[in-house]
Amino acid sequence: MKLLLAVYAVALASLPFFISVLAIVGFGTSRADIQAIFAIYLNYGLLLISGCLAAVALSTVALYAVLDLLGVINGWRLQYARAFHLLSVWAGGGTVVGALAACLTPVLGSFLSTSVGEMSGLGALPPTLMFKLATGGGLVGFTAGLLQVPFAIAEPVTNLIYRWVVIPTPYVVIAALASASGLNPAHLLSLIAHSLANVVTIPASATLSPEQIANLISSDWRIGVVLLGRDSTGALPGASGFTWIIVIAFGLIAAFGVMRAFAHRSSERLPPRG
């Protein structure tokens, strides 16, 4: 148990530094177009990913509720309110991590500005960095919380197989079916970008300078979405990628949960010291 907590604490403590480095590379680059596209990707891309996960999570909870009302799974004693508590905790934690990353960015930027690609120094970092990273961190935390919804409502279940395997399985099945039907971030981005392309007029990106692209995106956010969908192939996960991300995430969450449960039970069986 102590080892698991130590690994978790180290990973959590290093997360703001990792996000800060990404912010330096994305926002601190001298390429104005990359900076603008990065901002669109950070906000709009995360919005599409969390939107797909939210639809899957709500559908799964609705399925559980119907089965519960029919008396099929009433013995599991699922706690649906735990899902909302979990989402609020992860969204708040992500906001704090994003704010910490923003605070660390000027410090790390002073060391990395001369050694990372086309960095132009601290002067390239936008003054809204705190707001952008805090908001982005909150959205990332909310997205991570959506992946844990079935595990949260199954917390009262004592059987490890039911809690970590059986109950989360409908979530994966619904995600796979929805993703194959078009409910995946890449397909949604393609649809939205195609729709916006008929509304806004964008010259061929090859004929535009980075500064011109940045000015276009600043004048109309829809242009950034169109460019992201047109020029960033594979920027967001598609049908199979979206499903595999959920499967891998569930595997890691379940493995960590089972190890923690066994460690906790082992510690309870140990004789008291002294």
PDB file of all heavy atoms in Angstrom, residues 66-97:
ATOM      1  N   VAL A  66     -31.847   1.687 -15.377  1.00  0.00           N
ATOM      2  CA  VAL A  66     -32.985   0.920 -15.880  1.00  0.00           C
ATOM      3  C   VAL A  66     -32.928  -0.516 -15.375  1.00  0.00           C
ATOM      4  O   VAL A  66     -33.937  -1.077 -14.904  1.00  0.00           O
ATOM      5  CB  VAL A  66     -33.010   0.954 -17.424  1.00  0.00           C
ATOM      6  CG1 VAL A  66     -34.050  -0.024 -17.967  1.00  0.00           C
ATOM      7  CG2 VAL A  66     -33.315   2.352 -17.916  1.00  0.00           C
ATOM      8  N   LEU A  67     -31.751  -1.136 -15.442  1.00  0.00           N
ATOM      9  CA  LEU A  67     -31.602  -2.507 -14.942  1.00  0.00           C
ATOM     10  C   LEU A  67     -31.854  -2.579 -13.441  1.00  0.00           C
ATOM     11  O   LEU A  67     -32.391  -3.572 -12.938  1.00  0.00           O
ATOM     12  CB  LEU A  67     -30.203  -3.032 -15.268  1.00  0.00           C
ATOM     13  CG  LEU A  67     -29.873  -3.233 -16.754  1.00  0.00           C
ATOM     14  CD1 LEU A  67     -28.427  -3.687 -16.926  1.00  0.00           C
ATOM     15  CD2 LEU A  67     -30.831  -4.234 -17.394  1.00  0.00           C
ATOM     16  N   ASP A  68     -31.473  -1.517 -12.743  1.00  0.00           N
ATOM     17  CA  ASP A  68     -31.711  -1.471 -11.297  1.00  0.00           C
ATOM     18  C   ASP A  68     -33.204  -1.394 -10.996  1.00  0.00           C
ATOM     19  O   ASP A  68     -33.713  -2.064 -10.083  1.00  0.00           O
ATOM     20  CB  ASP A  68     -30.983  -0.265 -10.699  1.00  0.00           C
ATOM     21  CG  ASP A  68     -30.602  -0.482  -9.245  1.00  0.00           C
ATOM     22  OD1 ASP A  68     -31.088  -1.460  -8.640  1.00  0.00           O
ATOM     23  OD2 ASP A  68     -29.823   0.328  -8.710  1.00  0.00           O
ATOM     24  N   LEU A  69     -33.925  -0.559 -11.767  1.00  0.00           N
ATOM     25  CA  LEU A  69     -35.365  -0.439 -11.571  1.00  0.00           C
ATOM     26  C   LEU A  69     -36.091  -1.738 -11.891  1.00  0.00           C
ATOM     27  O   LEU A  69     -37.105  -2.077 -11.266  1.00  0.00           O
ATOM     28  CB  LEU A  69     -35.919   0.696 -12.436  1.00  0.00           C
ATOM     29  CG  LEU A  69     -35.547   2.126 -12.007  1.00  0.00           C
ATOM     30  CD1 LEU A  69     -36.053   3.123 -13.029  1.00  0.00           C
ATOM     31  CD2 LEU A  69     -36.143   2.434 -10.636  1.00  0.00           C
ATOM     32  N   LEU A  70     -35.580  -2.463 -12.862  1.00  0.00           N
ATOM     33  CA  LEU A  70     -36.192  -3.741 -13.238  1.00  0.00           C
ATOM     34  C   LEU A  70     -35.832  -4.860 -12.269  1.00  0.00           C
ATOM     35  O   LEU A  70     -36.344  -5.976 -12.401  1.00  0.00           O
ATOM     36  CB  LEU A  70     -35.763  -4.129 -14.651  1.00  0.00           C
ATOM     37  CG  LEU A  70     -36.241  -3.209 -15.786  1.00  0.00           C
ATOM     38  CD1 LEU A  70     -35.674  -3.669 -17.120  1.00  0.00           C
ATOM     39  CD2 LEU A  70     -37.766  -3.169 -15.840  1.00  0.00           C
ATOM     40  N   GLY A  71     -34.943  -4.583 -11.319  1.00  0.00           N
ATOM     41  CA  GLY A  71     -34.569  -5.574 -10.334  1.00  0.00           C
ATOM     42  C   GLY A  71     -33.507  -6.546 -10.795  1.00  0.00           C
ATOM     43  O   GLY A  71     -33.269  -7.557 -10.120  1.00  0.00           O
ATOM     44  N   VAL A  72     -32.851  -6.244 -11.915  1.00  0.00           N
ATOM     45  CA  VAL A  72     -31.840  -7.156 -12.440  1.00  0.00           C
ATOM     46  C   VAL A  72     -30.549  -7.073 -11.643  1.00  0.00           C
ATOM     47  O   VAL A  72     -29.892  -8.092 -11.392  1.00  0.00           O
ATOM     48  CB  VAL A  72     -31.578  -6.864 -13.933  1.00  0.00           C
ATOM     49  CG1 VAL A  72     -30.490  -7.781 -14.486  1.00  0.00           C
ATOM     50  CG2 VAL A  72     -32.865  -7.019 -14.729  1.00  0.00           C
ATOM     51  N   ILE A  73     -30.170  -5.858 -11.243  1.00  0.00           N
ATOM     52  CA  ILE A  73     -28.891  -5.668 -10.557  1.00  0.00           C
ATOM     53  C   ILE A  73     -29.073  -4.981  -9.204  1.00  0.00           C
ATOM     54  O   ILE A  73     -28.142  -4.344  -8.708  1.00  0.00           O
ATOM     55  CB  ILE A  73     -27.915  -4.836 -11.428  1.00  0.00           C
ATOM     56  CG1 ILE A  73     -28.522  -3.462 -11.739  1.00  0.00           C
ATOM     57  CG2 ILE A  73     -27.572  -5.571 -12.702  1.00  0.00           C
ATOM     58  CD1 ILE A  73     -27.540  -2.522 -12.433  1.00  0.00           C
ATOM     59  N   ASN A  74     -30.279  -5.068  -8.625  1.00  0.00           N
ATOM     60  CA  ASN A  74     -30.500  -4.339  -7.377  1.00  0.00           C
ATOM     61  C   ASN A  74     -29.644  -4.865  -6.236  1.00  0.00           C
ATOM     62  O   ASN A  74     -29.452  -4.195  -5.230  1.00  0.00           O
ATOM     63  CB  ASN A  74     -31.982  -4.384  -6.985  1.00  0.00           C
ATOM     64  CG  ASN A  74     -32.514  -5.812  -6.923  1.00  0.00           C
ATOM     65  OD1 ASN A  74     -31.756  -6.771  -7.077  1.00  0.00           O
ATOM     66  ND2 ASN A  74     -33.817  -5.941  -6.716  1.00  0.00           N
ATOM     67  N   GLY A  75     -29.086  -6.068  -6.375  1.00  0.00           N
ATOM     68  CA  GLY A  75     -28.223  -6.597  -5.329  1.00  0.00           C
ATOM     69  C   GLY A  75     -26.846  -5.967  -5.298  1.00  0.00           C
ATOM     70  O   GLY A  75     -26.091  -6.155  -4.343  1.00  0.00           O
ATOM     71  N   TRP A  76     -26.509  -5.219  -6.350  1.00  0.00           N
ATOM     72  CA  TRP A  76     -25.176  -4.605  -6.412  1.00  0.00           C
ATOM     73  C   TRP A  76     -25.092  -3.336  -5.574  1.00  0.00           C
ATOM     74  O   TRP A  76     -24.001  -2.868  -5.257  1.00  0.00           O
ATOM     75  CB  TRP A  76     -24.814  -4.284  -7.858  1.00  0.00           C
ATOM     76  CG  TRP A  76     -24.551  -5.505  -8.683  1.00  0.00           C
ATOM     77  CD1 TRP A  76     -24.504  -6.798  -8.242  1.00  0.00           C
ATOM     78  CD2 TRP A  76     -24.292  -5.551 -10.084  1.00  0.00           C
ATOM     79  NE1 TRP A  76     -24.226  -7.647  -9.277  1.00  0.00           N
ATOM     80  CE2 TRP A  76     -24.094  -6.915 -10.429  1.00  0.00           C
ATOM     81  CE3 TRP A  76     -24.212  -4.599 -11.087  1.00  0.00           C
ATOM     82  CZ2 TRP A  76     -23.807  -7.326 -11.724  1.00  0.00           C
ATOM     83  CZ3 TRP A  76     -23.939  -5.001 -12.380  1.00  0.00           C
ATOM     84  CH2 TRP A  76     -23.740  -6.356 -12.692  1.00  0.00           C
ATOM     85  N   ARG A  77     -26.230  -2.713  -5.271  1.00  0.00           N
ATOM     86  CA  ARG A  77     -26.264  -1.485  -4.453  1.00  0.00           C
ATOM     87  C   ARG A  77     -25.391  -0.381  -5.047  1.00  0.00           C
ATOM     88  O   ARG A  77     -24.543   0.201  -4.381  1.00  0.00           O
ATOM     89  CB  ARG A  77     -25.830  -1.786  -3.009  1.00  0.00           C
ATOM     90  CG  ARG A  77     -26.752  -2.760  -2.291  1.00  0.00           C
ATOM     91  CD  ARG A  77     -26.265  -3.090  -0.899  1.00  0.00           C
ATOM     92  NE  ARG A  77     -25.079  -3.939  -0.926  1.00  0.00           N
ATOM     93  CZ  ARG A  77     -23.881  -3.530  -0.584  1.00  0.00           C
ATOM     94  NH1 ARG A  77     -23.691  -2.288  -0.188  1.00  0.00           N
ATOM     95  NH2 ARG A  77     -22.850  -4.357  -0.637  1.00  0.00           N
ATOM     96  N   LEU A  78     -25.581  -0.105  -6.324  1.00  0.00           N
ATOM     97  CA  LEU A  78     -24.799   0.935  -6.998  1.00  0.00           C
ATOM     98  C   LEU A  78     -25.161   2.310  -6.445  1.00  0.00           C
ATOM     99  O   LEU A  78     -26.330   2.601  -6.164  1.00  0.00           O
ATOM    100  CB  LEU A  78     -25.063   0.903  -8.512  1.00  0.00           C
ATOM    101  CG  LEU A  78     -24.718  -0.417  -9.224  1.00  0.00           C
ATOM    102  CD1 LEU A  78     -25.004  -0.290 -10.720  1.00  0.00           C
ATOM    103  CD2 LEU A  78     -23.261  -0.785  -9.003  1.00  0.00           C
ATOM    104  N   GLN A  79     -24.153   3.151  -6.312  1.00  0.00           N
ATOM    105  CA  GLN A  79     -24.322   4.499  -5.773  1.00  0.00           C
ATOM    106  C   GLN A  79     -24.067   5.520  -6.887  1.00  0.00           C
ATOM    107  O   GLN A  79     -22.920   5.878  -7.175  1.00  0.00           O
ATOM    108  CB  GLN A  79     -23.366   4.731  -4.599  1.00  0.00           C
ATOM    109  CG  GLN A  79     -23.574   3.786  -3.435  1.00  0.00           C
ATOM    110  CD  GLN A  79     -24.902   4.028  -2.747  1.00  0.00           C
ATOM    111  OE1 GLN A  79     -25.354   5.168  -2.650  1.00  0.00           O
ATOM    112  NE2 GLN A  79     -25.540   2.962  -2.287  1.00  0.00           N
ATOM    113  N   TYR A  80     -25.147   5.979  -7.529  1.00  0.00           N
ATOM    114  CA  TYR A  80     -24.998   6.858  -8.697  1.00  0.00           C
ATOM    115  C   TYR A  80     -24.487   8.250  -8.318  1.00  0.00           C
ATOM    116  O   TYR A  80     -23.833   8.909  -9.119  1.00  0.00           O
ATOM    117  CB  TYR A  80     -26.339   6.968  -9.425  1.00  0.00           C
ATOM    118  CG  TYR A  80     -26.895   5.631  -9.845  1.00  0.00           C
ATOM    119  CD1 TYR A  80     -27.937   5.032  -9.141  1.00  0.00           C
ATOM    120  CD2 TYR A  80     -26.364   4.941 -10.925  1.00  0.00           C
ATOM    121  CE1 TYR A  80     -28.440   3.797  -9.512  1.00  0.00           C
ATOM    122  CE2 TYR A  80     -26.847   3.703 -11.304  1.00  0.00           C
ATOM    123  CZ  TYR A  80     -27.889   3.138 -10.589  1.00  0.00           C
ATOM    124  OH  TYR A  80     -28.376   1.906 -10.965  1.00  0.00           O
ATOM    125  N   ALA A  81     -24.780   8.693  -7.105  1.00  0.00           N
ATOM    126  CA  ALA A  81     -24.330  10.025  -6.688  1.00  0.00           C
ATOM    127  C   ALA A  81     -22.816  10.109  -6.593  1.00  0.00           C
ATOM    128  O   ALA A  81     -22.238  11.198  -6.694  1.00  0.00           O
ATOM    129  CB  ALA A  81     -24.961  10.402  -5.344  1.00  0.00           C
ATOM    130  N   ARG A  82     -22.149   8.963  -6.418  1.00  0.00           N
ATOM    131  CA  ARG A  82     -20.696   8.971  -6.334  1.00  0.00           C
ATOM    132  C   ARG A  82     -20.052   9.447  -7.639  1.00  0.00           C
ATOM    133  O   ARG A  82     -18.943   9.988  -7.629  1.00  0.00           O
ATOM    134  CB  ARG A  82     -20.181   7.573  -5.983  1.00  0.00           C
ATOM    135  CG  ARG A  82     -20.558   7.101  -4.593  1.00  0.00           C
ATOM    136  CD  ARG A  82     -20.009   5.704  -4.325  1.00  0.00           C
ATOM    137  NE  ARG A  82     -20.431   5.183  -3.048  1.00  0.00           N
ATOM    138  CZ  ARG A  82     -19.792   5.379  -1.907  1.00  0.00           C
ATOM    139  NH1 ARG A  82     -18.685   6.086  -1.908  1.00  0.00           N
ATOM    140  NH2 ARG A  82     -20.244   4.859  -0.784  1.00  0.00           N
ATOM    141  N   ALA A  83     -20.734   9.230  -8.761  1.00  0.00           N
ATOM    142  CA  ALA A  83     -20.190   9.654 -10.048  1.00  0.00           C
ATOM    143  C   ALA A  83     -20.074  11.179 -10.110  1.00  0.00           C
ATOM    144  O   ALA A  83     -19.055  11.713 -10.576  1.00  0.00           O
ATOM    145  CB  ALA A  83     -21.071   9.147 -11.189  1.00  0.00           C
ATOM    146  N   PHE A  84     -21.096  11.884  -9.626  1.00  0.00           N
ATOM    147  CA  PHE A  84     -21.052  13.352  -9.639  1.00  0.00           C
ATOM    148  C   PHE A  84     -19.987  13.874  -8.674  1.00  0.00           C
ATOM    149  O   PHE A  84     -19.296  14.851  -8.976  1.00  0.00           O
ATOM    150  CB  PHE A  84     -22.430  13.911  -9.274  1.00  0.00           C
ATOM    151  CG  PHE A  84     -23.493  13.609 -10.283  1.00  0.00           C
ATOM    152  CD1 PHE A  84     -24.323  12.519 -10.130  1.00  0.00           C
ATOM    153  CD2 PHE A  84     -23.644  14.409 -11.400  1.00  0.00           C
ATOM    154  CE1 PHE A  84     -25.303  12.228 -11.062  1.00  0.00           C
ATOM    155  CE2 PHE A  84     -24.618  14.131 -12.347  1.00  0.00           C
ATOM    156  CZ  PHE A  84     -25.446  13.042 -12.183  1.00  0.00           C
ATOM    157  N   HIS A  85     -19.861  13.234  -7.535  1.00  0.00           N
ATOM    158  CA  HIS A  85     -18.808  13.640  -6.588  1.00  0.00           C
ATOM    159  C   HIS A  85     -17.428  13.416  -7.197  1.00  0.00           C
ATOM    160  O   HIS A  85     -16.541  14.273  -7.086  1.00  0.00           O
ATOM    161  CB  HIS A  85     -18.958  12.851  -5.288  1.00  0.00           C
ATOM    162  CG  HIS A  85     -17.866  13.109  -4.296  1.00  0.00           C
ATOM    163  ND1 HIS A  85     -17.760  14.297  -3.598  1.00  0.00           N
ATOM    164  CD2 HIS A  85     -16.809  12.345  -3.897  1.00  0.00           C
ATOM    165  CE1 HIS A  85     -16.704  14.249  -2.808  1.00  0.00           C
ATOM    166  NE2 HIS A  85     -16.105  13.081  -2.966  1.00  0.00           N
ATOM    167  N   LEU A  86     -17.246  12.283  -7.873  1.00  0.00           N
ATOM    168  CA  LEU A  86     -15.955  11.980  -8.495  1.00  0.00           C
ATOM    169  C   LEU A  86     -15.615  13.012  -9.566  1.00  0.00           C
ATOM    170  O   LEU A  86     -14.477  13.498  -9.642  1.00  0.00           O
ATOM    171  CB  LEU A  86     -15.998  10.579  -9.108  1.00  0.00           C
ATOM    172  CG  LEU A  86     -14.753  10.170  -9.901  1.00  0.00           C
ATOM    173  CD1 LEU A  86     -13.663   9.722  -8.950  1.00  0.00           C
ATOM    174  CD2 LEU A  86     -15.075   9.055 -10.884  1.00  0.00           C
ATOM    175  N   LEU A  87     -16.589  13.364 -10.398  1.00  0.00           N
ATOM    176  CA  LEU A  87     -16.339  14.332 -11.470  1.00  0.00           C
ATOM    177  C   LEU A  87     -15.954  15.699 -10.900  1.00  0.00           C
ATOM    178  O   LEU A  87     -15.055  16.368 -11.428  1.00  0.00           O
ATOM    179  CB  LEU A  87     -17.581  14.463 -12.350  1.00  0.00           C
ATOM    180  CG  LEU A  87     -17.926  13.250 -13.214  1.00  0.00           C
ATOM    181  CD1 LEU A  87     -19.231  13.476 -13.956  1.00  0.00           C
ATOM    182  CD2 LEU A  87     -16.809  12.957 -14.205  1.00  0.00           C
ATOM    183  N   SER A  88     -16.611  16.108  -9.818  1.00  0.00           N
ATOM    184  CA  SER A  88     -16.279  17.406  -9.221  1.00  0.00           C
ATOM    185  C   SER A  88     -14.880  17.394  -8.619  1.00  0.00           C
ATOM    186  O   SER A  88     -14.136  18.378  -8.734  1.00  0.00           O
ATOM    187  CB  SER A  88     -17.318  17.767  -8.156  1.00  0.00           C
ATOM    188  OG  SER A  88     -17.305  16.822  -7.094  1.00  0.00           O
ATOM    189  N   VAL A  89     -14.502  16.272  -8.004  1.00  0.00           N
ATOM    190  CA  VAL A  89     -13.160  16.168  -7.403  1.00  0.00           C
ATOM    191  C   VAL A  89     -12.088  16.212  -8.487  1.00  0.00           C
ATOM    192  O   VAL A  89     -11.092  16.940  -8.367  1.00  0.00           O
ATOM    193  CB  VAL A  89     -13.044  14.886  -6.572  1.00  0.00           C
ATOM    194  CG1 VAL A  89     -11.598  14.638  -6.169  1.00  0.00           C
ATOM    195  CG2 VAL A  89     -13.921  14.968  -5.331  1.00  0.00           C
ATOM    196  N   TRP A  90     -12.268  15.440  -9.562  1.00  0.00           N
ATOM    197  CA  TRP A  90     -11.258  15.401 -10.619  1.00  0.00           C
ATOM    198  C   TRP A  90     -11.197  16.708 -11.404  1.00  0.00           C
ATOM    199  O   TRP A  90     -10.104  17.141 -11.800  1.00  0.00           O
ATOM    200  CB  TRP A  90     -11.531  14.222 -11.548  1.00  0.00           C
ATOM    201  CG  TRP A  90     -10.944  12.949 -11.033  1.00  0.00           C
ATOM    202  CD1 TRP A  90     -11.522  12.076 -10.166  1.00  0.00           C
ATOM    203  CD2 TRP A  90      -9.645  12.426 -11.324  1.00  0.00           C
ATOM    204  NE1 TRP A  90     -10.667  11.028  -9.890  1.00  0.00           N
ATOM    205  CE2 TRP A  90      -9.515  11.214 -10.597  1.00  0.00           C
ATOM    206  CE3 TRP A  90      -8.594  12.842 -12.131  1.00  0.00           C
ATOM    207  CZ2 TRP A  90      -8.366  10.430 -10.655  1.00  0.00           C
ATOM    208  CZ3 TRP A  90      -7.451  12.052 -12.192  1.00  0.00           C
ATOM    209  CH2 TRP A  90      -7.341  10.874 -11.460  1.00  0.00           C
ATOM    210  N   ALA A  91     -12.339  17.335 -11.637  1.00  0.00           N
ATOM    211  CA  ALA A  91     -12.328  18.623 -12.335  1.00  0.00           C
ATOM    212  C   ALA A  91     -11.623  19.686 -11.495  1.00  0.00           C
ATOM    213  O   ALA A  91     -10.814  20.477 -12.012  1.00  0.00           O
ATOM    214  CB  ALA A  91     -13.757  19.056 -12.660  1.00  0.00           C
ATOM    215  N   GLY A  92     -11.899  19.695 -10.185  1.00  0.00           N
ATOM    216  CA  GLY A  92     -11.221  20.646  -9.308  1.00  0.00           C
ATOM    217  C   GLY A  92      -9.747  20.363  -9.186  1.00  0.00           C
ATOM    218  O   GLY A  92      -8.919  21.290  -9.222  1.00  0.00           O
ATOM    219  N   GLY A  93      -9.387  19.083  -9.075  1.00  0.00           N
ATOM    220  CA  GLY A  93      -7.970  18.730  -9.003  1.00  0.00           C
ATOM    221  C   GLY A  93      -7.226  19.090 -10.281  1.00  0.00           C
ATOM    222  O   GLY A  93      -6.086  19.571 -10.233  1.00  0.00           O
ATOM    223  N   GLY A  94      -7.858  18.855 -11.437  1.00  0.00           N
ATOM    224  CA  GLY A  94      -7.231  19.228 -12.701  1.00  0.00           C
ATOM    225  C   GLY A  94      -7.017  20.724 -12.820  1.00  0.00           C
ATOM    226  O   GLY A  94      -5.997  21.174 -13.364  1.00  0.00           O
ATOM    227  N   THR A  95      -7.967  21.505 -12.303  1.00  0.00           N
ATOM    228  CA  THR A  95      -7.811  22.969 -12.325  1.00  0.00           C
ATOM    229  C   THR A  95      -6.616  23.400 -11.483  1.00  0.00           C
ATOM    230  O   THR A  95      -5.839  24.276 -11.889  1.00  0.00           O
ATOM    231  CB  THR A  95      -9.096  23.635 -11.800  1.00  0.00           C
ATOM    232  OG1 THR A  95     -10.208  23.227 -12.603  1.00  0.00           O
ATOM    233  CG2 THR A  95      -8.971  25.153 -11.851  1.00  0.00           C
ATOM    234  N   VAL A  96      -6.459  22.782 -10.320  1.00  0.00           N
ATOM    235  CA  VAL A  96      -5.320  23.114  -9.454  1.00  0.00           C
ATOM    236  C   VAL A  96      -4.005  22.733 -10.131  1.00  0.00           C
ATOM    237  O   VAL A  96      -3.027  23.501 -10.112  1.00  0.00           O
ATOM    238  CB  VAL A  96      -5.464  22.398  -8.102  1.00  0.00           C
ATOM    239  CG1 VAL A  96      -4.203  22.591  -7.254  1.00  0.00           C
ATOM    240  CG2 VAL A  96      -6.675  22.920  -7.350  1.00  0.00           C
ATOM    241  N   VAL A  97      -3.956  21.535 -10.751  1.00  0.00           N
ATOM    242  CA  VAL A  97      -2.733  21.103 -11.439  1.00  0.00           C
ATOM    243  C   VAL A  97      -2.408  22.049 -12.589  1.00  0.00           C
ATOM    244  O   VAL A  97      -1.243  22.421 -12.796  1.00  0.00           O
ATOM    245  CB  VAL A  97      -2.897  19.657 -11.950  1.00  0.00           C
ATOM    246  CG1 VAL A  97      -1.731  19.278 -12.853  1.00  0.00           C
ATOM    247  CG2 VAL A  97      -2.974  18.692 -10.786  1.00  0.00           C
TER     248      VAL A  97
END
